[in-house]
Amino acid sequence: MNDAEGTLFPKLPLAEWVELFVDFLTDSLSPVFDAISSVIGLITENFVVVLEFVPPILLIVIIALLAWWVSSWKLSLFALLGLGLINNLGYWPETLETVSLVIVSVVASMIIGIPIGIWMSQKKAVETVFTPILDFMQTMPAFVYLIPAVVFFSLGMVPGVVATIIFSMPPTVRLTNLGIRQVDEELIEASNAFGSSTGQRLGKVQIPLAMSTIMAGINQTIMLSLSMVVIASMVGAPGLGTVVYRAVTQVAIGPGFEGGLSLVIVAMLLDRLTQGANKK
C-alpha cells in the first residue's frame, strides 16, 4: 500500500529522522553513555550488595523502627508483617534489587528535577520551554523509553534505571515549580524589602514554605518509579518486575500474584514512609 494513500500530503519520514538522530547520538556520544552506564551500574550493584550484607531480620526491624519514628506503630507493624511475608515467600533478593532501582531512580530524579523546577519558578520563559517537554515525558507510553535506553545502554539494570528516571521525574519538576510559585506574594515582597538576594529568598522563604508540595512531587515520583519496575524487567532489569513478567509469559497465576503482592507491599510502605517524613 502506498504510504501516502489516504493522507493529505506525502508521509513525513519521521521514523527515519528519529533513527538517524539516535544513530548520530550513539556514534558521537558513545563514551558519555559508557560513562553514565558505568556510574549507574556501580551505584546500583553496590547498593544491592550493601543491603544484602545486612541480615533480612535486622533490616526488617530497622525499617519497622524507622516507620514507627516517621509515622506510627501501625505502619511499623505493617512493615514487620509485610516485609516478613515477602521474606517468607522467598522474594527478598528481588525486593532488594527493586528497592535499589527505585531509590537510585528517585535520587537521580531529585538531583535533576528539583533544580529545574526551581529554575522554572524563577523565569517564565524557562517554564514555557520545559512545560511541553514534561508533557511529552509523561504522556509518551513508558514502553517507548525502553527502545533508546537499550540502544544507548544495552540490557540490564542501567537501561531500566534510565527509562524509570525519564518517566518518573516530571512530578518532582512540576510540583517544585508549583510549590515555589504558590508562596504568598506578600512574604516575597517582605523578603525583597529586607534586601534579600534571590538565593537568600529561595533558601529562607520560598523553598521551606514549598517543602510539603515538593515532597508530594517526590512521593509521586516514587510511585511512578515502582510502576516502571515490571516494564523495566523487559530490558533485563532484575527485581520483582522479573518475577511478575516471567509469571505473565508462563501464565503462572500463583507466582504472579505473589510477585504483585510483594510490589504492592513495597509501594505502600514507601508511600507511607514518604508521607510520614513530609508531615514530620
Side-chain angles (χ1 to χ4, degrees):
M1 180 183 291
N2 190 337
D3 287 344
E5 187 176 334
T7 61
L8 295 176
F9 305 102
K11 182 176 182 253
L12 289 172
L14 185 58
E16 289 80 0
W17 292 346
V18 172
E19 289 177 358
L20 285 172
F21 181 64
V22 170
D23 289 342
F24 167 75
L25 291 179
T26 306
D27 294 337
S28 58
L29 298 179
S30 178
V32 176
F33 294 132
D34 290 343
I36 294 173
S37 178
S38 299
V39 171
I40 294 177
L42 188 67
I43 293 172
T44 51
E45 288 171 9
N46 284 317
F47 198 79
V48 172
V49 169
V50 170
L51 291 177
E52 287 179 338
F53 181 75
V54 183
I57 184 63
L58 178 59
L59 190 55
I60 291 173
V61 170
I62 291 172
I63 295 172
L65 291 174
L66 176 66
W68 198 339
W69 181 60
V70 300
S71 181
S72 64
W73 66 268
K74 294 178 182 176
L75 183 62
S76 177
L77 181 61
F78 174 78
L80 279 175
L81 295 177
L83 295 178
L85 176 62
I86 292 174
N87 182 257
N88 176 264
L89 293 174
Y91 297 119
W92 190 249
E94 289 84 356
T95 300
L96 297 184
E97 290 168 342
T98 297
V99 170
S100 174
L101 185 149
V102 170
I103 290 179
V104 171
S105 302
V106 170
V107 170
S109 297
M110 291 168 59
I111 292 172
I112 301 170
I114 290 177
I116 294 176
I118 293 172
W119 193 20
M120 287 173 65
S121 71
Q122 301 303 301
K123 295 191 179 296
K124 185 66 180 174
V126 177
E127 184 184 39
T128 303
V129 170
F130 273 98
T131 297
I133 295 174
L134 295 173
D135 292 340
F136 179 89
M137 291 168 67
Q138 277 191 293
T139 54
M140 176 66 75
F143 292 95
V144 178
Y145 293 131
L146 298 180
I147 303 171
V150 168
V151 172
F152 296 144
F153 303 104
S154 187
L155 297 173
M157 178 73 92
V158 175
V161 170
V162 172
T164 302
I165 292 171
I166 296 171
F167 181 69
S168 63
M169 188 170 55
T172 294
V173 180
R174 288 186 191 278
L175 291 181
T176 299
N177 174 39
L178 180 66
I180 293 175
R181 286 186 178 277
Q182 284 182 334
V183 172
D184 195 332
E185 198 63 35
E186 293 183 358
L187 291 175
I188 296 174
E189 291 176 1
S191 173
N192 291 335
F194 282 102
S196 299
S197 64
T198 301
Q200 290 171 328
R201 189 180 67 244
L202 274 170
K204 295 183 178 179
V205 179
Q206 291 177 296
I207 291 178
L209 291 173
M211 191 52 71
S212 61
T213 307
I214 295 172
M215 288 297 294
I218 294 171
N219 179 272
Q220 289 299 306
T221 293
I222 292 173
M223 294 297 104
L224 287 175
S225 297
L226 278 165
S227 73
M228 276 290 290
V229 166
V230 177
I231 297 174
S233 68
M234 296 178 183
V235 293
L240 291 170
T242 304
V243 176
V244 175
Y245 181 59
R246 189 187 306 127
V248 171
T249 56
Q250 298 174 352
V251 199
I253 298 175
F257 179 79
E258 289 179 349
L261 179 63
S262 301
L263 266 176
V264 170
I265 291 170
V266 173
M268 289 178 65
L269 191 54
L270 289 176
D271 178 59
R272 303 302 187 273
L273 282 173
T274 311
Q275 289 185 18
N278 189 19
K279 293 175 183 174
K280 203 167 180 63

